[in-house]
Amino acid sequence: MKEENYYPGCDRKMVEKQIELIELYRNIFDNSYNWMVVVDKYGYITMINKPYCNFLGTTQEEAIGKHVTEVIENTRMHIVVKTKEREIGDVQQIKGNQMIADRIPIFKDEELIGAVGTVIFKDIIELDSYVKKVAVMEKELDFYKKELKKALGSKYTFENIIGNSPAINKAKMLAKKVSSSKSSILLMGESGTGKELFAHSIHNLSPRANYPLIKVNCASIPAELLESELFGYEEGAFTGAKKGGKPGKFELADKSTIFLDEIGDMPVEMQVKLLRVIQEKEVERIGGTKSKKLDVRIIAATNKNLEEMVAEKTFREDLYYRLNVIKINIPSLRERREDIEPIANYLMKKLAKEMDRFVTEIDVDAMAHLKSHNWPGNIRELENTIERAINLVEKGAKITLNHLPYYIREKKGNYTSNIGKIGLKDIVSQVEIKEIRNALDICKGNKQQAAKELGISRTSLYEKIEKYGL
Ligand SMILES: Nc1ncnc2c1ncn2[C@@H]1O[C@H](COP(=O)(O)OP(=O)(O)OP(=O)(O)O)[C@@H](O)[C@H]1O
């Protein structure tokens, strides 16, 4: 009986079971799809699986017993046994491939005995394909969420207005304050600054949020259709009129908010009709005989200077005063440069998700250039620039300077001193020429705007253009 035991107190069957179990673990370890390495508390390799060895061009016999830094490039396993902190999803470059690795310290009786490292994605492209699969599912979820939101009302809230600069905070604060009132609001700001986002957010915070926000783009609807679009028509009002007639946007906005975008582009004859509806608080469909009382809140927006238009008599003064009960100026990106970084990061995440791409960072140099650009097209231009950059990212998860358009890349440029080569006067001239060219480029040749960008008078700009023969 005694010789059947390997150790006193253990029977053969138990020991065989233990050996079988160890064999099984070894098999799992060696056949794992993930590459794995185990080090002792000093960073020496105690186990490494075959697939990892094959990739590294070594064997288990060769690697085991060596310090991990001698076998694996850019490893941090020897650091993890010192810090005792786990590192999850870290990017590690091995043999020119960017891999994603987890490193986890191992403890026995609360004492560190080593660490296990796993390469979970062998290439960022592999991760990209996983991210894509998850992104497709998230997109579907997003789609249903948006549909639900659309069914319930408008889509944006103040949370979607990114930025914490004093200029945008001032606009947000005023907008929030007046959201619950019934008074008309006029949103003024350059193109692409977020006027529509403000209109949605105001409506969403108002007591009217349970009804849908009705949007009309006064610039995109042909003048001859605008009236029927806004006020609707009765059956037989004109040839081609639908059977049963059609309600206009004002009627649809009853108990809700109407957003009149690009109000500065509304033809003057329509301005008269709009004024009547606002004053009388009722509409009459084209071809109709009776009018209908309405309860509509108006938010109008424009990138035009309405005061100037009033002075030039292209916008009716009485309508201007009706709309301009509460004026909110939406600042341009140039007036809030500190917001460029958070907005750029937000847009990168949003667009990467929409485009199913694994892009997670804008590097320091690229960000510095984004921050110094003047953004004549504001956030819409920034959004397009980032979308373009994401399309250009191939390897790695970063947007770098190379992914930005030439006019942004070149603008900031690396400054090399010319002192000793030419005099200060010529240095100043060179800088002036470069910056005037840049400004004209950005403002698409508009000299008045370029002078504004450069902070000089128009006359002074003309003088310099002539002086330098630009
Ligand atoms: N503060 C912000 N944070 C994040 N995204 C923003 C912000 N402001 C605007 N955007 C985004 O920028 C784009 C342009 O915004 P929006 O359409 O509201 O501008 P707009 O001023 O109405 O432009 P336009 O005058 O040309 O109609 C949109 O995609 C919007 O979601």
Side-chain angles (χ1 to χ4, degrees):
M1 260 329 245
K2 222 174 183 184
E3 69 259 34
E4 277 189 10
N5 290 345
Y6 290 98
Y7 300 100
C10 298
D11 68 43
R12 177 186 278 272
K13 273 202 178 125
M14 214 169 102
V15 172
E16 274 173 3
K17 218 165 180 170
Q18 290 297 322
I19 291 172
E20 248 176 51
L21 213 58
I22 291 169
E23 277 303 309
L24 178 69
Y25 286 147
R26 189 181 297 281
N27 246 320
I28 294 173
F29 188 73
D30 271 342
N31 290 300
S32 162
Y33 178 72
N34 292 336
W35 299 341
M36 296 170 91
V37 61
V38 181
V39 296
D40 65 13
K41 61 180 173 181
Y42 304 107
Y44 286 91
I45 297 178
T46 54
M47 291 170 84
I48 180 163
N49 68 358
K50 277 187 190 148
Y52 205 177
C53 285
N54 291 344
F55 171 72
L56 295 169
T58 182
T59 60
Q60 288 174 311
E61 292 73 33
E62 240 175 57
I64 291 171
K66 279 195 181 146
H67 195 261
V68 68
T69 50
E70 288 175 59
V71 181
I72 303 171
E73 230 179 290
N74 297 318
T75 182
R76 288 180 49 84
M77 295 292 287
H78 57 304
I79 297 169
V80 168
V81 286
K82 281 193 191 125
T83 61
K84 300 180 184 170
E85 299 278 346
R86 54 169 57 198
E87 295 181 354
I88 305 291
D90 194 35
V91 179
Q92 181 179 346
Q93 179 124 351
I94 313 178
K95 290 178 135 189
N97 287 35
Q98 281 186 302
M99 314 199 162
I100 310 287
D102 287 349
R103 305 179 195 99
I104 298 167
I106 317 169
F107 296 91
K108 191 177 174 218
D109 300 330
E110 290 181 16
E111 206 171 294
L112 182 107
I113 55 166
V116 56
T118 319
V119 173
I120 44 172
F121 291 105
K122 295 164 188 111
D123 198 309
I124 275 217
I125 292 167
E126 194 187 12
L127 174 60
D128 210 41
S129 98
Y130 275 86
V131 170
K132 272 184 185 150
K133 278 186 202 157
V134 176
V136 169
M137 279 154 61
E138 280 189 342
K139 239 174 143 177
E140 275 178 24
L141 185 65
D142 260 12
F143 172 77
Y144 291 118
K145 274 191 189 163
K146 274 187 196 145
E147 285 301 298
L148 184 67
K149 236 180 176 175
K150 254 195 244 163
L152 293 175
S154 99
K155 42 184 180 164
Y156 301 109
T157 66
F158 283 106
E159 313 256 288
N160 298 103
I161 303 176
I162 312 296
N164 214 6
S165 60
I168 197 72
N169 277 343
K170 191 175 155 202
K172 276 202 260 187
M173 255 159 62
L174 176 59
K176 280 183 189 171
K177 210 164 144 187
V178 299
S179 62
S180 57
S181 126
K182 257 176 114 171
S183 308
S184 300
I185 294 180
L186 182 60
L187 300 171
M188 305 261 275
E190 288 177 18
S191 177
T193 43
K195 296 184 292 297
E196 182 163 349
L197 212 57
F198 266 82
H200 280 271
S201 309
I202 293 168
H203 171 72
N204 251 348
L205 198 67
S206 79
R208 297 167 180 260
N210 288 335
Y211 293 89
L213 174 83
I214 304 293
K215 184 188 161 183
V216 185
N217 188 320
C218 306
S220 66
I221 303 171
E224 59 279 13
L225 293 184
L226 193 56
E227 185 175 1
S228 67
E229 193 67 21
L230 284 175
F231 311 127
Y233 54 80
E234 292 295 358
E235 188 174 328
F238 44 82
T239 28
K242 254 198 203 152
K243 212 167 169 248
K246 193 181 160 211
K249 298 278 187 185
F250 265 93
E251 253 181 88
L252 295 174
D254 193 20
K255 300 195 181 62
S256 188
T257 311
I258 193 163
F259 174 45
L260 301 172
D261 200 7
E262 318 275 12
I263 190 83
D265 292 274
M266 183 176 269
V268 179
E269 62 276 20
M270 272 310 297
Q271 293 176 22
V272 187
K273 291 178 180 162
L274 175 62
L275 181 68
R276 199 176 316 128
V277 172
I278 297 176
Q279 277 172 342
E280 287 159 23
K281 297 190 175 68
E282 53 185 33
V283 276
E284 193 178 308
R285 291 188 185 185
I286 303 173
T289 48
K290 45 183 193 308
S291 46
K292 189 178 172 194
K293 277 261 166 237
L294 292 178
D295 167 25
V296 177
R297 202 245 181 119
I298 296 175
I299 302 181
T302 184
N303 54 22
K304 301 228 157 112
N305 186 334
L306 287 191
E307 277 120 6
E308 250 175 37
M309 289 181 73
V310 168
E312 288 162 1
K313 305 230 178 308
T314 47
F315 200 86
R316 284 188 67 108
E317 191 173 9
D318 40 13
L319 178 61
Y320 173 65
Y321 287 117
R322 281 281 173 181
L323 296 174
N324 189 22
V325 180
I326 300 157
K327 178 156 82 185
I328 303 178
N329 284 313
I330 317 293
S332 67
L333 260 189
R334 282 186 307 291
E335 293 163 85
R336 47 182 183 121
R337 286 193 186 274
E338 62 268 52
D339 286 340
I340 294 177
E341 184 162 352
I343 295 178
N345 282 323
Y346 164 82
L347 293 172
M348 172 199 62
K349 282 190 201 134
K350 184 186 93 164
L351 292 168
K353 201 166 149 194
E354 281 171 17
M355 295 160 71
D356 292 344
R357 295 297 312 273
F358 182 70
V359 176
T360 55
E361 204 183 322
I362 301 173
D363 84 1
V364 181
D365 211 9
M367 188 61 89
H369 281 74
L370 292 180
K371 278 158 99 172
S372 70
H373 182 57
N374 266 337
W375 302 110
N378 292 294
I379 301 172
R380 186 171 296 113
E381 185 191 355
L382 178 59
E383 201 167 7
N384 293 343
T385 304
I386 291 182
E387 184 177 338
R388 175 187 183 274
I390 293 175
N391 272 307
L392 295 179
V393 171
E394 279 170 0
K395 244 185 162 201
K398 255 189 217 171
I399 293 177
T400 65
L401 206 51
N402 285 336
H403 303 127
L404 300 183
Y406 177 78
Y407 63 91
I408 295 178
R409 246 185 299 148
E410 280 306 291
K411 226 192 128 204
K412 199 160 175 272
N414 286 338
Y415 178 71
T416 38
S417 175
N418 278 315
I419 293 168
K421 293 179 218 148
I422 51 174
L424 184 61
K425 224 170 146 195
D426 288 332
I427 295 174
V428 172
S429 302
Q430 282 189 359
V431 174
E432 279 195 329
I433 292 170
K434 195 165 159 244
E435 288 307 325
I436 291 171
R437 280 202 175 121
N438 270 334
L440 288 169
D441 208 348
I442 288 163
C443 302
K444 300 187 181 80
N446 181 328
K447 296 194 182 72
Q448 185 166 356
Q449 217 180 326
K452 207 171 145 200
E453 290 297 334
L454 291 163
I456 57 176
S457 70
R458 211 161 46 144
T459 333
S460 170
L461 178 63
Y462 275 110
E463 281 169 4
K464 286 184 196 295
I465 289 175
E466 189 158 305
K467 177 176 158 195
Y468 298 127
L470 297 174

